[in-house]
Amino acid sequence: SQELEQSPQSLIVQEGKNLTINCTSSKTLYGLYWYKQKYGEGLIFLMMLQKGGEEKSHEKITAKLDEKKQQSSLHITASQPSHAGIYLCGGRGSQGNLIFGKGTKLSVKP
Amino acid sequence: GAGVSQSPSNKVTEKGKDVELRCDPISGHTALYWYRQSLGQGLEFLIYFQGNSAPDKSGLPSDRFSAERTGGSVSTLTIQRTQQEDSAVYLCASSLRLAGGHAAQYFGPGTRLTVL
């Protein structure tokens, strides 16, 4: 079965710094989804990437998909305390469900 | 517009009791998914509905778990004879069912279930 591995598991950065979170799949990716979760809340949809080489940006967050490497990266520019949370990547399973990585916990120090 | 809603937000129950969790998807979303998030386990897929039917129930952890969806809208997840290992946050998501299957899933806030 497909597995997604995220790195790092946790990250502490100073406000204003850039950071990158990686997601690697054990199998070919047919679509990759990024979500953010704050403690005790549901998942907030960030971005969906469908094609190799695709890159999407929203505000200060950019995600890229490298299908050949079965990898995706999420890059945050000039991090802010509001970026803190758990970032989850998900790949599509056989029923259209999402198979998630274990998440990357991001803390941003003011 | 209204997002996915779930009720109750929190449920504390005694071992052996039955519980029912409810999910109201985004209006017009034909696909509905249930997931479970346990401490240290990550997010686990339980079951998927397309309209009112669930093609594959093999993701449900045991036969104590069942789910139904009526009218292509509201879904309920029922856990019978709850056990302590059922304690988790149960998340519901809905999406449009697009050609090719690529559609964003939008999640509800979850129901935190605690089995004493």
Side-chain angles (χ1 to χ4, degrees), chain B residues 46-70:
Chain B
L46 299 179
I47 193 169
Y48 149 69
F49 286 90
Q50 176 56 37
N52 291 334
S53 65
D56 185 346
K57 300 180 180 179
S58 61
L60 295 174
S62 77
D63 57 8
R64 296 185 294 103
F65 287 70
S66 62
E68 65 174 17
R69 188 180 187 194
T70 54

Side-chain angles (χ1 to χ4, degrees), chain A residues 92 94-96, chain B residues 29-31 33 48 50 95-99 101 103:
Chain A
R92 286 183 58 237
S94 60
Q95 297 185 61
Chain B
H29 280 192
T30 56
Y33 304 83
Y48 149 69
Q50 176 56 37
S95 73
L96 294 169
R97 189 67 174 177
L98 302 177

Side-chain angles (χ1 to χ4, degrees), chain A residues 30 35 37 50 95-96 98, chain B residues 33 35 37 45 56 102 105 108:
Chain A
Y30 297 103
Y35 287 83
Q37 186 177 30
Q50 297 184 44
Q95 297 185 61
L98 293 176
Chain B
Y33 304 83
Y35 296 86
Q37 188 173 34
F45 167 65
D56 185 346
H102 292 281
Q105 293 184 21

Side-chain angles (χ1 to χ4, degrees), chain B residues 5-73:
Chain B
S5 61
Q6 292 186 246
S7 61
S9 55
N10 276 286
K11 177 71 177 180
V12 179
T13 190
E14 292 179 350
K15 179 181 170 182
K17 300 280 189 186
D18 298 350
V19 296
E20 193 172 276
L21 313 179
R22 176 187 167 110
C23 172
D24 261 291
I26 293 172
S27 178
H29 280 192
T30 56
L32 186 148
Y33 304 83
W34 283 98
Y35 296 86
R36 178 169 74 173
Q37 188 173 34
S38 309
L39 207 59
Q41 295 291 321
L43 268 154
E44 173 189 4
F45 167 65
L46 299 179
I47 193 169
Y48 149 69
F49 286 90
Q50 176 56 37
N52 291 334
S53 65
D56 185 346
K57 300 180 180 179
S58 61
L60 295 174
S62 77
D63 57 8
R64 296 185 294 103
F65 287 70
S66 62
E68 65 174 17
R69 188 180 187 194
T70 54
S73 182

Side-chain angles (χ1 to χ4, degrees), chain A residues 4 23 29-34 47-50 65 72 89-91:
Chain A
L4 277 79
C23 174
L29 285 165
Y30 297 103
L32 191 288
Y33 301 74
W34 283 100
M47 271 172 272
M48 175 176 68
L49 304 167
Q50 297 184 44
L65 178 61
S72 178
C89 65

Side-chain angles (χ1 to χ4, degrees), chain B residues 86-99:
Chain B
D86 299 335
S87 296
V89 176
Y90 289 81
L91 292 161
C92 173
S94 72
S95 73
L96 294 169
R97 189 67 174 177
L98 302 177

